[in-house]
Amino acid sequence: MRQNPNTYRLRQNRTGKLVFNIFGSLAEFERSLIKDRVNAGLEAARKKGRIGGRPSALNEQQKEMAITMFNGGALKYDIAKHFGVTRQTIYTTLKDKDK
């Protein structure tokens, strides 16, 4: 049974350095191809009207109600508990209303 080559020794000679550089270049090239394909796919999906990401925890009506509750003096914790979401969701909703 043969063992894996010692990569440290392989990198010490000229041929080993050449092989490592070639494989490194191929890996970098393949990574750039993958990146281009992903970006092209995302652009095609956007043109079809699809939006990626996680669905919103609150719909527009619930967001408006949360803002109204906050303006009425309710605590963010209580608003979050009422809708069954985290306080961070309420913070994000209130931050987005200013935009």
Side-chain angles (χ1 to χ4, degrees), residues 5-29:
N6 187 339
T7 57
Y8 178 75
R9 282 190 186 164
L10 188 59
R11 283 186 274 160
Q12 295 304 307
N13 62 34
R14 293 181 193 129
T15 307
K17 285 182 182 181
L18 175 66
V19 170
F20 266 74
N21 283 324
I22 289 172
F23 282 129
S25 296
L26 287 173
E28 186 176 347
F29 176 70

Side-chain angles (χ1 to χ4, degrees), residues 1-79:
M1 184 166 138
R2 293 183 68 183
Q3 295 180 351
N4 292 333
N6 187 339
T7 57
Y8 178 75
R9 282 190 186 164
L10 188 59
R11 283 186 274 160
Q12 295 304 307
N13 62 34
R14 293 181 193 129
T15 307
K17 285 182 182 181
L18 175 66
V19 170
F20 266 74
N21 283 324
I22 289 172
F23 282 129
S25 296
L26 287 173
E28 186 176 347
F29 176 70
E30 181 65 26
R31 176 68 184 125
S32 68
L33 286 177
I34 291 169
K35 190 175 180 181
D36 291 342
R37 285 188 211 123
V38 167
N39 287 334
L42 290 172
E43 177 126 358
R46 280 189 208 105
K47 286 181 182 178
K48 290 181 181 179
R50 297 190 180 144
I51 301 173
R54 184 177 179 157
S56 179
L58 299 174
N59 61 32
E60 291 302 317
Q61 183 181 8
Q62 290 172 325
K63 287 179 183 180
E64 290 173 14
M65 188 173 174
I67 292 168
T68 304
M69 289 171 71
F70 179 73
N71 291 338
L75 297 174
K76 294 172 189 164
Y77 172 80
D78 294 332
I79 298 170

